[in-house]
């Protein structure tokens, strides 16, 4: 549950939410900060990337996280998010009822809804779910422009996840 920020000099900074940052076994970002209030100046970043991050926040907290990303991005800066697509997860779960394939049901169905339970870590549990149109709508409501969805570039790619990109 980390996000990556790319500064002007291509410096990559990661941060963990304040709860996660307190646990050294979970994450050790370059910046340990609450995702809703990151100690960086306005308009200082070219890109904010959150890979499997946004689904770990309640919807009202996700708005605060996205507005914070918007604050830190330079004009024209890029927001990149990847998350499970809850519609694909539902389809995968329904397909698994006929195929009886446990890997499909767990990895590409239930994990997309609830998060991965084997680590027994409450920070790995999902608090909300999105599909491409819903996340693009949310980032637009938070001030971003030209929101579009794509095939994910990490994790479960086209079988479960999606990528959303937008600009300040």
């Amino acid at each position: 549950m980390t996000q990556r920020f790319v500064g002007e000099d291509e410096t990559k900074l990661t941060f963990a939410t304040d709860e996660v940052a307190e646990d050294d076994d979970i994450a050790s970002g370059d910046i340990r900060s609450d995702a809703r209030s990151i100690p960086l100046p306005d308009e200082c970043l070219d890109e904010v990337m959150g890979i499997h991050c946004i689904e770990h926040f309640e919807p009202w907290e996700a708005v605060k996280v996205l507005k914070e990303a918007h604050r830190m991005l330079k004009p024209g800066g890029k927001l990149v998010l990847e998350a499970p697509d809850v519609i694909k997860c539902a389809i995968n779960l329904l397909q698994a009822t006929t195929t009886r394939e446990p890997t499909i049901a767990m990895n590409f169905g239930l994990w997309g809804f609830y998060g991965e339970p084997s680590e027994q870590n409450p920070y790995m549990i999902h608090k909300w779910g999105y599909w491409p149109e819903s996340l693009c709508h949310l980032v637009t409501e938070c001030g971003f422009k030209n929101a579009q969805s794509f095939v994910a570039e990490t994790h479960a790619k086209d079988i479960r996840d999606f990528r959303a990109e937008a600009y300040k």
Side-chain angles (χ1 to χ4, degrees):
M1 187 167 48
T2 61
Q3 285 189 320
R4 178 177 63 137
F5 304 108
V6 180
E8 186 174 284
D9 61 354
E10 292 298 315
T11 301
K12 292 177 176 62
L13 304 172
T14 58
F15 85 94
T17 61
D18 58 343
E19 297 92 358
V20 173
E22 292 173 10
D23 187 340
D24 288 331
D25 293 334
I26 298 170
S28 58
D30 299 310
I31 297 176
R32 291 179 175 226
S33 172
D34 184 324
R36 299 160 298 186
S37 179
I38 298 169
L40 290 174
D42 294 353
E43 299 184 348
C44 66
L45 301 172
D46 299 306
E47 180 178 304
V48 173
M49 178 180 282
I51 304 299
H52 287 270
C53 181
I54 199 73
E55 67 271 18
H56 293 271
F57 293 94
E58 287 94 354
W60 56 89
E61 296 296 330
V63 168
K64 294 174 185 175
V65 171
L66 292 170
K67 288 184 176 181
E68 181 67 354
H70 190 273
R71 178 192 69 77
M72 294 182 298
L73 280 171
K74 296 175 185 176
K78 184 177 183 180
L79 173 71
V80 178
L81 301 171
E82 287 193 12
D85 178 336
V86 293
I87 293 174
K88 286 181 186 176
C89 292
I91 291 167
N92 291 336
L93 191 57
L94 290 172
Q95 286 177 342
T97 62
T98 57
T99 63
R100 302 288 187 222
E101 175 56 52
T103 301
I104 298 292
M106 292 301 294
N107 297 10
F108 305 119
L110 293 175
W111 287 4
F113 287 119
Y114 303 113
E116 203 277 303
S118 69
E119 295 183 30
Q120 299 181 3
N121 180 336
Y123 301 116
M124 295 303 293
I125 300 304
H126 297 172
K127 296 181 179 176
W128 198 249
Y130 300 93
W131 60 95
E133 294 81 8
S134 71
L135 189 55
C136 286
H137 177 76
L138 179 62
V139 300
T140 299
E141 285 186 341
C142 292
F144 291 93
K145 297 177 181 7
N146 304 320
Q148 293 183 306
S149 64
F150 302 95
V151 173
E153 294 182 12
T154 65
H155 294 82
K157 302 191 179 186
D158 197 35
I159 194 168
R160 185 194 67 196
D161 300 342
F162 72 99
R163 183 181 189 94
E165 296 180 2
Y167 297 86
K168 180 173 180 180

